[in-house]
């Protein structure tokens, strides 16, 4: 009934507002030709912040990654794209599309999904891909209808023999899930369907993020044919006071190995992860728990907390993330959007906004209490001119330059060994907020064991640098590792968001060495502490430390020396991206 009304509304719109229709067609013209903009891509010198090996379109606004998958040996990435400019334009958002054989080099394809039906005429928002039993990939995505309701739509490939999946056909049954008086769903808060999973009863399940007042939740729907969906009585999971859940993601992980599982996998060696992107705080948090598939509910493990007090994939910028199962290498890979920290007027000037993080493999840590993330091994194909420094002590108050790397575009791995723990600073029990601790204790606040780490995108005279570092504290009954990414000195331009990020790392520094890897790429620094146990991504815009004027240093500003047992750095080649 509601759908019939919407169609009627749409036809009314088409028949009576001719100029509106003309505008729509004009914009479709823009969508179809945007891939030619490649030719107008600007050079690195005039664009010091354009990345060399991160995924981004030639120009304009990009946000969420959508429907990542591998199909017939080709990796696909769709993404939220505004063909009309470098700022978010709600109504005009389309699904742009790129393909790759190695997840590093990407070929742009034509826009896959754009507003064309009543059920998505005001925007084609985020969604996910599911490989059906017969091997066909199906896309579920959120559409905005003329009543400004958020509804879920289905699209299937026009030609499933085409590994590039260039043409998509929308289901005539769209919208396949919609708010209605009987289901009491908030039509302004109902979006971003996940990859579906197949139950033992042969029915597909999918979840969609929503909220009821301040309670965030994931509505569950079931379907026998992927077209007719019925809402389950109970949501898969909900949590008080977390606000709107965007871009939910739900997937199995192995309890005893880093291999990834297909999304439908169940069994005794499986735990589940539920991730929600919190609209209120712009953080991607997750819990680890049990999926009771008989009752179709998910219960986080004891101690695995919902909301901002829980675990995050990344403690810097990292939003609207989405995983997929890479059946070619039996791993689960994570994509996420890293937005700009520059001003809107700077974004308009440079002509683009938004990059994707380097895809990460994710698996369950041996402790079972958190995930571990590591950049895909393929990114190492871009490493060139390796620099390996010999093991050495780094005295308190010293700085060591890593020579001969293109420091604006580099990959660096450093490992520290510590001693003299008796001198570690005592952790005040009130210091429970690591981000706050990092902003209070920057690199110039000298401790005993730390700060030590890396100064990246640094200018020769240190007018600019981004510091990624550790501090070791003596806690109640163990030593505590703090990891910080401090952007406060990253740029002489005052218009950027220079928030300091921080998190604790679950590594025992007495018995284990402490490692840090940073992927540096012109305006982004993605850092992985403790072999991927804690991650922090930052966007920075140096004015001096650009191109060849960027430097890379290791530093120790504690009073105690630390031993560098490994320091390897590589210049990173440019990838062929779009
Ligand atoms: C479908 O795709 C295959 C593989 O690219 C191609 O050979 C075939 O011609 C396509 N069929 C149609 C109807 O376009
Ligand atoms: C529905 O969601 C919108 C958008 O967040 C919000 O403004 C509104 O208050 C919500 N309505 C109810 C009844 O919760
Ligand atoms: C993007 O960045 C700005 C400023 O750095 C921040 O305030 C905002 O919440 C971010 N948005 C998302 C979706 O991450
Ligand atoms: C180390 O600390 C001193 C004293 O506070 C400060 O002057 C110096 O800038 C710090 N070094 C770095 C790399 O921040």
């Amino acid at each position: 009934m509601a759908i019939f009304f919407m169609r009627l509304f749409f036809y009314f719109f088409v028949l009576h507002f001719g100029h509106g229709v003309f505008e729509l067609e004009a914009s479709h013209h823009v969508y179809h030709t945007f891939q030619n903009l490649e030719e107008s891509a600007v050079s690195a010198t005039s664009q010091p912040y354009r990345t060399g090996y991160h995924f981004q379109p030639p120009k304009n606004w990009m946000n969420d990654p959508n429907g990542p998958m591998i199909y017939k040996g080709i990796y696909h990435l769709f993404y939220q794209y505004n063909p009309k400019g470098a700022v978010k334009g709600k109504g005009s958002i389309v699904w742009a599309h790129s393909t790759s054989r190695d997840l590093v080099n990407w070929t742009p394809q034509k826009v896959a999904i754009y507003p064309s039906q009543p059920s998505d005429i005001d925007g084609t928002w985020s969604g996910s891909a599911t490989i059906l039993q017969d091997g066909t990939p199906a896309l579920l995505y959120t559409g905005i209808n003329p009543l400004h309701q958020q509804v879920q739509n289905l699209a299937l490939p026009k030609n499933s023999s085409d590994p590039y999946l260039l043409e998509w056909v929308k289901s005539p049954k769209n919208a396949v899930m919609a708010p209605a008086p009987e289901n009491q769903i908030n039509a302004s808060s109902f979006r971003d369907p996940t990859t579906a999973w197949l139950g033992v009863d042969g029915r597909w399940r999918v979840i969609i993020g929503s909220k009821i007042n301040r309670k965030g939740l994931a509505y569950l729907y079931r379907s026998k044919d992927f077209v007719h969906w019925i809402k389950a009585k109970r949501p898969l999971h909900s949590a008080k006071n977390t606000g709107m859940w965007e871009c939910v993601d739900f997937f199995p992980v192995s309890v005893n190995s880093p291999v990834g599982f297909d999304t439908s996998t169940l069994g005794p060696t499986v735990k589940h992860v539920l991730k929600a992107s919190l609209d209120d705080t712009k953080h991607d948090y997750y819990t680890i728990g049990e999926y009771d598939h008989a009752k179709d509910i998910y219960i986080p493990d004891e101690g695995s907390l919902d909301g901002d007090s829980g675990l995050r994939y990344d403690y810097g910028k990292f939003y609207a993330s989405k995983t997929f199962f890479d059946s070619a290498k039996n791993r689960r890979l994570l994509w996420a959007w890293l937005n700009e920290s520059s001003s809107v007027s700077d974004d308009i000037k440079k002509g683009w906004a938004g990059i994707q993080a380097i895809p990460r493999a994710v698996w369950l840590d041996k402790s079972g209490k958190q995930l571990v993330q590591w950049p895909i091994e393929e990114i190492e194909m871009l490493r060139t001119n390796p620099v390996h420094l010999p093991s050495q002590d780094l005295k308190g108050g010293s700085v060591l330059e890593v020579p001969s790397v293109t420091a604006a575009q580099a990959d660096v791995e450093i490992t520290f060994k510590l001693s003299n723990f008796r001198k570690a600073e005592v952790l005040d029990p009130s210091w429970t907020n690591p981000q706050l601790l990092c902003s209070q204790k920057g690199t110039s606040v000298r401790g005993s064991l730390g700060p030590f780490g890396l100064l990246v995108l640094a200018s020769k005279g240190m007018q600019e640098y981004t510091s990624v570092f550790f501090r070791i504290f003596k806690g109640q009954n163990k030593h505590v590792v703090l990891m910080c990414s401090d952007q406060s000195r990253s740029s002489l331009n005052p218009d950027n968001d220079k928030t300091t990020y921080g998190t604790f790392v679950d590594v025992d520094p007495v018995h284990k060495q402490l490692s840090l890897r940073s992927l540096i790429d012109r305006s982004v620094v993605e850092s992985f502490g403790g072999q991927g146990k804690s991650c922090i991504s930052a966007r920075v815009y140096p004015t001096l430390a650009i191109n060849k004027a960027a430097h890379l240093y290791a530093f120790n500003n504690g009073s105690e020396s630390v031993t560098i047992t490994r320091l390897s750095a590589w210049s990173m080649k440019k990838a062929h991206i779009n």
Side-chain angles (χ1 to χ4, degrees):
M1 185 64 182
I3 291 173
F4 176 72
F5 173 72
M6 274 146 38
R7 290 244 165 90
L8 208 64
F9 186 90
F10 179 69
Y11 291 134
F12 176 82
F13 179 80
V14 169
L15 289 173
H16 294 263
F17 296 94
H19 64 281
V21 172
F22 174 77
E23 254 175 45
L24 280 176
E25 282 173 359
S27 22
H28 289 179
H29 183 71
V30 175
Y31 305 151
H32 286 297
T33 53
F34 94 96
Q35 67 264 30
N36 300 333
L37 295 176
E38 189 185 0
E39 292 150 22
S40 65
V42 260
S43 75
T45 40
S46 67
Q47 282 272 3
Y49 308 132
R50 247 195 110 70
T51 60
Y53 60 95
H54 280 73
F55 184 96
Q56 55 178 134
K59 61 188 279 187
N60 295 336
W61 167 273
M62 168 173 70
N63 54 303
D64 309 1
N66 291 155
M69 67 173 133
I70 181 167
Y71 184 66
K72 296 188 188 285
I74 304 288
Y75 291 101
H76 292 259
L77 179 66
F78 305 87
Y79 56 92
Q80 293 282 287
Y81 177 71
N82 178 6
K84 290 177 182 166
V87 293
K88 189 167 189 173
K90 278 194 175 161
S92 57
I93 285 275
V94 303
W95 277 47
H97 180 200
S98 291
T99 54
S100 174
R101 287 190 175 276
D102 56 16
L103 291 162
V104 173
N105 301 291
W106 291 89
T107 306
Q109 305 294 359
K110 66 180 175 179
V111 166
I113 296 180
Y114 49 84
S116 69
Q117 287 191 327
S119 60
D120 66 15
I121 202 65
D122 274 334
T124 49
W125 291 9
S126 287
S128 305
T130 302
I131 309 287
L132 304 181
Q133 289 108 311
D134 68 355
T136 307
L139 300 179
L140 287 171
Y141 67 96
T142 299
I144 308 300
N145 71 20
L147 302 175
H148 288 287
Q149 291 179 314
Q150 300 176 6
V151 299
Q152 316 314 323
N153 294 294
L154 171 65
L156 294 164
K158 188 168 186 183
N159 179 2
S160 50
S161 312
D162 170 20
Y164 294 99
L165 299 169
L166 298 185
E167 308 272 354
W168 292 85
V169 181
K170 295 177 187 177
S171 171
K173 293 278 196 287
N174 284 344
V176 294
M177 291 164 251
E182 66 274 14
N183 62 31
Q184 293 185 1
I185 293 169
N186 184 337
S188 307
S189 303
F190 180 54
R191 55 186 180 267
D192 313 332
T194 59
T195 296
W197 69 96
L198 192 61
V200 288
D201 58 3
R203 285 182 296 170
W204 288 101
R205 274 99 171 138
V206 74
I207 53 173
I208 294 140
S210 190
K211 67 170 178 184
I212 297 172
N213 301 318
R214 290 281 308 138
K215 181 171 77 178
L217 73 162
Y219 284 122
L220 177 75
Y221 278 76
R222 299 190 192 91
S223 175
K224 282 188 183 143
D225 60 3
F226 224 80
V227 176
H228 299 89
W229 291 88
I230 296 165
K231 185 174 156 292
K233 280 207 180 71
R234 275 195 286 186
L236 184 77
H237 186 55
S238 65
K240 273 183 271 178
N241 213 30
T242 51
M244 175 66 192
W245 287 6
E246 296 194 291
C247 299
V248 282
D249 197 20
F250 186 59
F251 57 91
V253 286
S254 168
V255 294
N256 51 26
S257 125
V259 302
F261 285 141
D262 175 84
T263 309
S264 301
T265 305
L266 298 171
T269 62
V270 171
K271 299 282 291 186
H272 274 77
V273 175
L274 178 64
K275 185 277 299 187
S277 301
L278 298 178
D279 196 18
D280 291 359
T281 58
K282 304 295 175 200
H283 293 156
D284 277 21
Y285 91 91
Y286 67 87
T287 54
I288 296 162
E290 293 291 334
Y291 168 46
D292 180 337
H293 65 92
K295 292 191 186 140
D296 254 337
I297 52 167
Y298 165 79
I299 302 159
D301 289 347
E302 210 181 314
S304 193
L305 302 177
D306 274 298
D308 263 336
S309 42
L311 296 164
R312 286 165 56 184
Y313 282 138
D314 194 295
Y315 292 82
K317 297 207 140 181
F318 198 88
Y319 196 67
S321 65
K322 193 177 290 299
T323 64
F324 76 103
F325 175 59
D326 176 5
S327 54
K329 291 198 172 178
N330 285 319
R331 56 187 175 173
R332 184 155 288 268
L333 299 182
L334 171 67
W335 280 100
W337 166 44
L338 308 184
N339 81 341
E340 300 301 313
S341 293
S342 44
S343 66
V344 169
S345 65
D346 282 355
D347 293 345
I348 292 169
K349 245 179 265 166
K350 71 189 195 308
W352 56 270
I355 64 172
Q356 300 295 327
I358 297 301
R360 302 173 181 178
V362 284
W363 66 93
L364 189 64
D365 182 54
K366 284 203 180 77
S367 70
K369 293 192 159 79
Q370 66 160 99
L371 296 174
V372 183
Q373 303 162 64
W374 200 244
I376 48 163
E377 59 188 10
E378 286 87 340
I379 207 69
E380 294 169 27
M381 73 171 73
L382 299 175
R383 286 174 167 179
T384 182
N385 299 330
V387 175
H388 301 291
L389 297 190
S391 174
Q392 56 193 288
D393 285 350
L394 198 56
K395 290 218 161 49
S398 62
V399 168
L400 168 72
E401 174 146 25
V402 182
S404 320
V405 287
T406 56
Q409 202 172 298
D411 183 358
V412 52
E413 293 193 56
I414 187 165
T415 305
F416 298 97
K417 199 170 144 224
L418 309 170
S419 41
N420 285 333
F421 286 95
R422 271 172 288 115
K423 297 199 173 148
E425 202 179 334
V426 174
L427 187 77
D428 188 302
S430 71
W431 296 348
T432 52
N433 180 337
Q435 177 160 354
L436 188 64
L437 200 49
C438 285
S439 61
Q440 289 163 347
K441 290 177 181 286
T443 51
S444 53
V445 179
R446 300 192 61 178
S448 46
L449 284 172
F452 57 86
L454 296 171
L455 304 175
V456 309
L457 295 169
S459 62
K460 190 83 201 161
M462 293 287 176
Q463 299 95 330
E464 292 180 332
Y465 58 84
T466 294
S467 49
V468 188
F469 60 91
F470 298 114
R471 281 176 188 272
I472 314 297
F473 295 97
K474 203 182 297 181
Q476 293 290 36
N477 40 30
K478 58 173 186 181
H479 286 84
V480 174
V481 178
L482 178 72
M483 174 179 169
C484 306
S485 180
D486 182 349
Q487 287 64 244
S488 59
R489 299 288 298 270
S490 60
S491 173
L492 296 178
N493 178 351
D495 297 340
N496 303 312
D497 170 10
K498 296 178 192 171
T499 305
T500 296
Y501 308 123
T503 180
F504 294 115
V505 192
D506 186 20
V507 171
D508 172 6
V510 179
H511 298 105
K512 287 250 167 72
Q513 300 198 3
L514 190 55
S515 74
L516 173 65
R517 178 178 181 190
S518 288
L519 294 170
I520 304 155
D521 192 5
R522 294 172 177 275
S523 63
V524 54
V525 183
E526 286 187 70
S527 300
F528 301 81
Q531 294 294 117
K533 283 189 159 187
S534 293
C535 311
I536 305 182
S537 296
R539 299 298 311 280
V540 291
Y541 310 87
T543 61
L544 305 170
I546 57 172
N547 303 323
K548 287 188 174 146
H551 296 262
L552 173 64
Y553 303 89
F555 82 102
N556 175 15
N557 222 3
S559 59
E560 299 302 305
S561 28
V562 298
T563 306
I564 297 175
T565 54
R566 177 184 183 204
L567 204 179
S568 299
W570 296 264
S571 297
M572 290 294 271
K573 288 180 279 192
K574 197 171 159 40
H576 297 282
I577 296 179
N578 298 321

